[in-house]
Amino acid sequence: MKKIYGKLCVLLSLVFMIAAFSACNREQGEQVRADQTQLTIGVFDGGLGSDWIYAIKEDFEAKYADVSFEEGKKGVQLRVSPSRSFTQTGMEGNIDSFREEVIFAEGANAQYFASRDKFLDITDVVTSPLNYDFVRKQTSNGGESVTIESKMSATQQDYFSAIGDRYYALPTAETYYCIVYDIELFEDNNLFFAPDGSFVTDASATRSDGPDGKAETTYDNGLPATYDQFFALCQKIVDLNKNLIPVMWGGNVQEYVSSFMLAIAADYAGVVQTELNYNYNGTMTEYITSFDGDGNPVISTDPEKYVPITAQNGYELYKQPGRYYALSFIERLTSNTAYYNYLTATSASFTHKDAQGQFVMSKYYSSMQRPAMLIDGNWWQSEAKSVFNELVAEKGDSASAQNRKFGIMPIPKVTAEAGDYTLLENTGYIGFINGNIDSSKIDLAKAFMQYCYTDKALIEYTKTTNICRPVSYEMGDAYDELSSWGKTMVDLHQNADFAYQDSSSTIMQNYSTDLWYSPRLWYSVVNGKTYTYPTTAMINDSVSAKDYFNGLSAYWTESVWKNKFQNV
Amino acid sequence: MNSEKIRRLLSKRRTKDLIFYCLLLAFPILQFCIFYLGVNFNSILLAFKTYEGNDVYTWGGTVNFATLFESFSLLTVYRVSVINSLKLFFIGTLTGLVCGLLFSYYIYKKAFMRNFFKILLFLPSIIPTIALVLMFKQIADGAIPALMMSLGITAKGLLANPDTTFGTIIFYNVWVGFGVSVLLYVGAMEKISEGVVEAARLDGTRYFQEFVYITVPLVWDTMSTFIIVAVGGIFVNQANIYAFYSDGAEEYVFTIGYYLYKETVKTGAAADYPILSAFGILLSLVTIPLVYAVKYLLGRFGPTTEERRRKVEE
């Protein structure tokens, strides 16, 4: 018996050793072309994936096929290196050892690394016309004569050039939290609103103008314009009695809902008032002073009582009405267990990918409860790629992401007063050239960085990821090739206002996580207990929106704020 | 060979031995200097500094301690974390100790399916924490509610239900700690002289009596070590909460260890290092005397192996 055990142990050890050595020996991605110069592109291995690089790779390589960058070699090979290390934490202290020359990171603070000389100065890339060739050192007659800088918003320009008026990084992805809805389900069940506020009676009937009150922006037509309409919609979905869930989210990612609540607050407050929460430089024009006898908020809009906001009194921002309305939205949603996935909404084993899977697959499997709406990030469709692929293999091409119809549900307004959309763009999606790049590859890396921001590459990016880069560009005819989700992304890219979390304020630079990471933005003390997530407080302890809102200021007192944020 | 030659040879050998010992010790000593003395020295200094931005710290005196003491009364997180850490220590240590000893005794007595239990209990110790936590989450919040549902009972998962969340986390920690404790206890029990046990048997001792009067006293040193280590870790034990919730746990499950860990590893934590270092020093001031007190009490009131052995032999 002992001999058998011994043999088994030796065998297992050999298997592990072979597996380990084969892993060490394996080249990542495609084979190295020894006769070409390699440019390694690091991409955060997350929801957005790296397909977009493969989509532009061939074109970029062809552009320099006849150029020699190293002796004895001709042409360039882009090598994609996906990794989850391309984040702030993953790069702090390690970036010097990274072999990737160009990196597209997530959750990283551009100014942190730039001020420590970890990124290459790319001012020339950002300010030169896009038809200037960094490799050949010449400007071509054709191509785009505009600069990348001209495609950026003023806020982006300020932020990305804050260190000595030089650019070290570029914004790479326009991401935000939102509600995704299943258009097919809405059409099949007449869940759109008619202009008179009732539900349409057939899919082709005229729909209401949506929350923005504009008939010409068709992407939101028929969608609930107010909170009341939204919850009437939830009730109708429940009343259909077809094993549907109005809203779903991943139970182990409560921060998704918290982030979505920040998006609700931003849509209410608008760009300037929202960005106060990140730049701490301006005037708060609207805030809740108390609640009346009916529990409604009393809002001060008196110009004489405006509150100047600095890093010293940021706690005042926790009185902004948008926060309360976000809380009241979630309170109404969680007040009826039929409106959301009650049993899994706080489950640690139910991930956002599980929620995506159920959202996408339940159309084909009647045993699954089918969600009508999903709270997620706008990159969800890229993240759910494997689910779509499985479905295509089983159900055919009609089940693909390209052919399924999903749309974004713009946040309904508090009242019937129509208005434009303000989206809260997530921070930390940046592209840069690694400061430790070999000097022989600098021009090539700059050329690639620049290429990523040409209209052609931007369009490919949107076609592949179904989201936009946060710079201005037109999709042209390629718009028609997009999935219905991709189309709404482009529609909002062009029509919505964007509030940015990026800020070069000292407080934001020193305490960024405490000021943008949503779980840290909803601390509230109610009955002596501190909550992190409004959802769990409301679901588990039935905390009201009003109490939770008052609890925000009970947590963020002047003393707590000053103890936490020092030397700002 | 004359004596001079022998002396020279011995001296040469001694020099070689000395070089060997020096080389052998150089690496661990260097490691100790850098990763213990260096790191801790720096962290002690940090407690007296304030952050100015861009990795620059300036001397701040005792301001961090003053801020910390003020925060104790302003924020609930410290109170909740201390209570949870103590709960984890008392319940976890007590349960771990009692169950660990009983299971070890079962294995030591070569009872039915002992090897199976040995492997079963040790398995969590060799599976990577993240994989194990993932499996545990699936059972606690996936399988158990599904099982209840099949019995017609609608219930939330053990982790999702706030009434059972922390208890479930304690259970998890006790469970994953079993492997190591059982291994050590069994090792200690196997060192008990067969003669002592046989003599007790001849005197008519039953299993329970043997366990209480012979086994436990004779593995007391091992038990003491476990208790002392647990006391030393009261405020650093993050109870795998980070593996369960990353940095997004609700405050009611915080332990001091988790709080310190999540605040230290968060993105851009440089500005918080001084206050966290000050907190660390305060905790050390509590823990160090506590460890020595427990060590003294265990030695003073617990039966030493020699005494016990002598008594049993008498």
Side-chain angles (χ1 to χ4, degrees):
Chain A
M1 194 68 177
K2 272 186 180 174
K3 273 186 180 174
I4 295 172
Y5 273 132
K7 281 177 185 170
L8 203 67
C9 287
V10 171
L11 194 71
L12 275 173
S13 308
L14 278 173
V15 168
F16 283 127
M17 275 167 71
I18 291 165
F21 283 125
S22 60
C24 292
N25 203 27
R26 195 186 50 175
E27 282 290 349
Q28 223 168 23
E30 63 181 309
Q31 287 289 312
V32 173
R33 289 182 228 138
D35 58 341
Q36 292 182 322
T37 295
Q38 277 72 42
L39 185 71
T40 312
I41 315 295
V43 195
F44 178 75
D45 193 12
L48 289 170
S50 44
D51 285 356
W52 63 270
I53 298 187
Y54 288 105
I56 59 172
K57 179 175 152 48
E58 208 174 299
D59 200 42
F60 181 77
E61 287 174 349
K63 198 174 169 189
Y64 296 110
D66 59 343
V67 179
S68 175
F69 298 95
E70 290 172 274
E71 210 178 304
K73 294 183 178 185
K74 201 161 95 172
V76 58
Q77 180 190 17
L78 291 183
R79 300 205 71 221
V80 181
S81 167
S83 165
R84 292 191 75 83
S85 297
F86 303 128
T87 61
Q88 179 78 19
T89 317
M91 295 194 299
E92 274 177 19
N94 300 321
I95 191 167
D96 291 335
S97 64
F98 286 179
R99 66 190 172 89
E100 289 80 5
E101 281 104 8
V102 179
I103 294 174
F104 293 87
E106 288 188 15
N109 182 338
Q111 290 185 6
Y112 175 92
F113 292 103
S115 62
R116 287 161 178 79
D117 294 327
K118 302 295 179 192
F119 292 177
L120 190 79
D121 185 340
I122 52 167
T123 309
D124 49 356
V125 177
V126 184
T127 56
S128 301
L130 282 156
N131 56 2
Y132 175 74
D133 191 329
F134 281 92
V135 171
R136 298 186 176 94
K137 310 283 179 205
Q138 62 186 39
T139 306
S140 63
N141 290 328
E144 291 177 68
S145 57
V146 298
T147 63
I148 297 175
E149 190 176 38
S150 69
K151 294 185 176 189
M152 294 163 72
S153 70
T155 312
Q156 288 172 328
Q157 288 174 9
D158 288 346
Y159 175 73
F160 284 97
S161 65
I163 298 175
D165 273 337
R166 311 292 297 171
Y167 285 97
Y168 293 90
L170 283 166
T172 56
E174 191 169 271
T175 66
Y176 43 85
Y177 289 90
C178 57
I179 295 179
V180 189
Y181 77 102
D182 186 334
I183 297 175
E184 291 158 14
L185 189 144
F186 271 54
E187 285 174 347
D188 295 345
N189 294 285
N190 298 324
L191 296 173
F192 290 105
F193 284 92
D196 65 358
S198 63
F199 286 98
V200 294
T201 47
D202 65 86
S204 59
T206 309
R207 296 173 186 174
S208 67
D209 293 342
D212 69 355
K214 296 174 190 166
E216 64 274 19
T217 52
T218 52
Y219 53 86
D220 71 343
N221 288 359
L223 295 174
T226 62
Y227 285 12
D228 287 340
Q229 280 196 345
F230 182 85
F231 291 104
L233 168 69
C234 290
Q235 190 56 49
K236 170 148 190 197
I237 292 169
V238 173
D239 292 343
L240 286 170
N241 212 10
K242 288 184 173 178
N243 201 22
L244 304 173
I245 309 173
V247 182
M248 174 172 267
W249 64 84
N252 86 328
V253 284
Q254 296 304 317
E255 65 265 32
Y256 275 32
V257 187
S258 296
S259 298
F260 172 65
M261 291 172 71
L262 293 177
I264 299 177
D267 189 56
Y268 175 87
V271 173
V272 176
Q273 292 296 300
T274 299
E275 288 184 352
L276 279 179
N277 290 276
Y278 306 99
N279 59 32
Y280 295 90
N281 181 19
T283 306
M284 181 169 72
T285 56
E286 212 178 319
Y287 55 93
I288 292 176
T289 54
S290 60
F291 288 84
D292 65 19
D294 298 327
N296 296 316
V298 178
I299 298 172
S300 167
T301 51
D302 182 352
E304 286 184 10
K305 290 180 182 170
Y306 284 177
V307 181
I309 294 294
T310 66
Q312 311 304 319
N313 68 344
Y315 55 89
E316 296 282 4
L317 292 165
Y318 285 85
K319 295 173 187 160
Q320 284 186 309
R323 289 181 199 270
Y324 170 73
Y325 290 121
L327 286 164
S328 72
F329 182 87
I330 295 298
E331 182 186 25
R332 287 180 73 175
L333 181 65
T334 55
S335 64
N336 188 334
T337 54
Y339 286 175
Y340 66 104
N341 51 320
Y342 172 71
L343 284 176
T344 52
T346 55
S347 163
S349 67
F350 191 68
T351 67
H352 61 295
K353 289 195 174 182
D354 293 332
Q356 288 167 0
Q358 189 169 340
F359 184 58
V360 173
M361 294 174 86
S362 54
K363 177 186 173 187
Y364 302 97
Y365 301 95
S366 55
S367 60
M368 279 180 164
Q369 266 198 305
R370 188 172 175 189
M373 293 173 266
L374 175 76
I375 295 177
D376 208 323
N378 66 338
W379 58 87
W380 77 278
Q381 212 172 44
S382 286
E383 204 165 33
K385 195 173 83 174
S386 58
V387 180
F388 282 110
N389 289 344
E390 272 176 44
L391 275 178
V392 169
E394 205 175 318
K395 307 285 176 189
D397 212 34
S398 62
S400 68
Q402 180 68 26
N403 294 327
R404 289 285 300 273
K405 287 164 76 179
F406 297 102
I408 188 167
M409 175 164 292
I411 293 161
K413 305 295 177 189
V414 178
T415 61
E417 207 175 304
D420 290 335
Y421 302 121
T422 301
L423 298 172
L424 180 61
E425 192 175 313
N426 294 331
T427 184
Y429 291 80
I430 54 167
F432 58 89
I433 297 175
N434 198 337
N436 69 6
I437 187 172
D438 190 274
S439 57
S440 65
K441 291 187 183 177
I442 289 178
D443 289 335
L444 182 59
K446 283 183 175 177
F448 178 71
M449 202 70 193
Q450 180 199 50
Y451 182 77
C452 288
Y453 287 83
T454 58
D455 279 352
K456 192 176 178 187
L458 291 169
I459 288 167
E460 280 302 326
Y461 179 82
T462 300
K463 277 165 67 179
T464 321
T465 61
N466 278 308
I467 67 160
C468 297
R469 279 226 198 272
V471 291
S472 78
Y473 58 102
E474 295 289 334
M475 286 300 292
D477 294 339
Y479 179 85
D480 297 328
E481 296 172 35
L482 295 173
S483 67
S484 76
W485 177 256
K487 282 176 184 162
T488 51
M489 287 297 98
V490 173
D491 292 336
L492 283 173
H493 176 73
Q494 286 164 347
N495 293 301
D497 296 323
F498 284 87
Y500 299 103
Q501 296 179 328
D502 297 323
S503 163
S504 19
S505 59
T506 308
I507 186 171
M508 194 64 181
Q509 287 306 307
N510 290 356
Y511 296 93
S512 62
T513 304
D514 295 292
L515 297 169
W516 72 259
Y517 184 48
S518 65
R520 291 171 184 263
L521 303 177
W522 291 102
Y523 289 140
S524 172
V525 182
V526 183
N527 299 326
K529 186 174 176 183
T530 303
Y531 292 96
T532 305
Y533 300 107
T535 35
T536 52
M538 289 172 183
I539 293 170
N540 293 333
D541 294 342
S542 304
V543 174
S544 70
K546 180 186 153 193
D547 288 344
Y548 201 99
F549 180 79
N550 286 331
L552 295 172
S553 293
Y555 181 90
W556 284 114
T557 60
E558 184 179 355
S559 307
V560 169
W561 185 269
K562 286 188 172 161
N563 278 350
K564 173 72 195 170
F565 303 110
Q566 297 180 358
N567 296 331
V568 290
Chain B
M1 208 184 277
N2 60 34
S3 62
E4 181 61 26
K5 241 181 180 175
I6 293 169
R7 205 167 46 242
R8 218 179 298 143
L9 206 69
L10 280 174
S11 158
K12 215 173 176 183
R13 190 175 291 168
R14 214 171 289 141
T15 313
K16 279 182 179 173
D17 283 349
L18 195 68
I19 293 169
F20 174 75
Y21 287 131
C22 287
L23 286 173
L24 200 71
L25 289 174
F27 188 60
I29 288 174
L30 190 72
Q31 263 198 324
F32 176 76
C33 290
I34 297 171
F35 296 110
Y36 189 83
L37 294 181
V39 169
N40 282 325
F41 182 68
N42 193 31
S43 113
I44 291 167
L45 285 185
L46 267 177
F48 299 95
K49 291 179 176 178
T50 54
Y51 188 68
E52 301 293 334
N54 281 337
D55 297 337
V56 176
Y57 294 91
T58 54
W59 188 251
T62 55
V63 67
N64 293 319
F65 292 93
T67 306
L68 203 55
F69 280 114
E70 197 185 350
S71 297
F72 287 157
S73 59
L74 292 171
L75 299 172
T76 55
V77 65
Y78 298 102
R79 179 173 47 82
V80 172
S81 304
V82 167
I83 291 171
N84 282 344
S85 294
L86 292 175
K87 268 188 202 168
L88 182 72
F89 167 71
F90 284 113
I91 302 172
T93 309
L94 193 72
T95 322
L97 206 69
V98 172
C99 296
L101 278 170
L102 288 173
F103 272 112
S104 305
Y105 187 65
Y106 185 85
I107 292 165
Y108 160 62
K109 294 314 288 181
K110 299 185 172 48
F112 179 62
M113 288 179 76
R114 64 187 182 280
N115 284 333
F116 171 74
F117 284 119
K118 211 173 179 176
I119 292 168
L120 198 72
L121 291 171
F122 197 66
L123 210 56
S125 306
I126 53 169
I127 296 173
T129 307
I130 291 296
L132 200 63
V133 165
L134 203 66
M135 281 192 278
F136 188 80
K137 283 203 292 195
Q138 290 299 331
I139 292 167
D141 270 13
I144 289 177
L147 194 70
M148 302 288 271
M149 189 77 92
S150 68
L151 298 171
I153 306 163
T154 304
K156 282 195 162 191
L158 296 172
L159 289 163
N161 182 347
D163 296 331
T164 53
T165 309
F166 196 64
T168 308
I169 288 172
I170 293 178
F171 170 80
Y172 173 83
N173 281 280
V174 171
W175 176 58
V176 294
F178 260 172
V180 176
S181 63
V182 165
L183 206 68
L184 292 178
Y185 286 136
V186 169
M189 286 174 187
E190 278 170 353
K191 280 183 189 157
I192 296 172
S193 159
E194 283 287 328
V196 173
V197 179
E198 269 174 34
R201 281 265 161 226
L202 289 173
D203 289 344
T205 311
R206 290 163 186 239
Y207 280 123
F208 179 75
Q209 287 168 315
E210 183 193 324
F211 176 72
V212 174
Y213 296 112
I214 298 174
T215 312
V216 170
L218 291 178
V219 297
W220 182 259
D221 287 346
T222 310
M223 280 170 63
S224 301
T225 309
F226 267 107
I227 294 168
I228 292 164
V229 168
V231 172
I234 288 181
F235 297 125
V236 288
N237 188 354
Q238 60 116 338
N240 291 299
I241 299 171
Y242 200 83
F244 274 99
Y245 298 103
S246 184
D247 56 358
E250 273 285 3
E251 193 183 282
Y252 64 80
V253 299
F254 276 28
T255 62
I256 290 286
Y258 170 72
Y259 172 73
L260 284 172
Y261 185 75
K262 90 176 179 93
E263 289 302 310
T264 310
V265 299
K266 76 176 178 189
T267 301
D272 288 319
Y273 288 162
I275 206 110
L276 293 170
S277 299
F279 193 30
I281 287 176
L282 288 182
L283 292 172
S284 299
L285 291 176
V286 175
T287 313
I288 292 169
L290 199 64
V291 168
Y292 278 98
V294 170
K295 189 172 182 290
Y296 170 77
L297 290 173
L298 287 169
R300 177 78 181 78
F301 297 107
T304 65
T305 314
E306 276 311 306
E307 272 175 9
R308 200 64 217 166
R309 191 173 291 147
R310 213 178 315 126
K311 274 184 190 171
V312 169
E313 279 167 1
E314 278 166 17

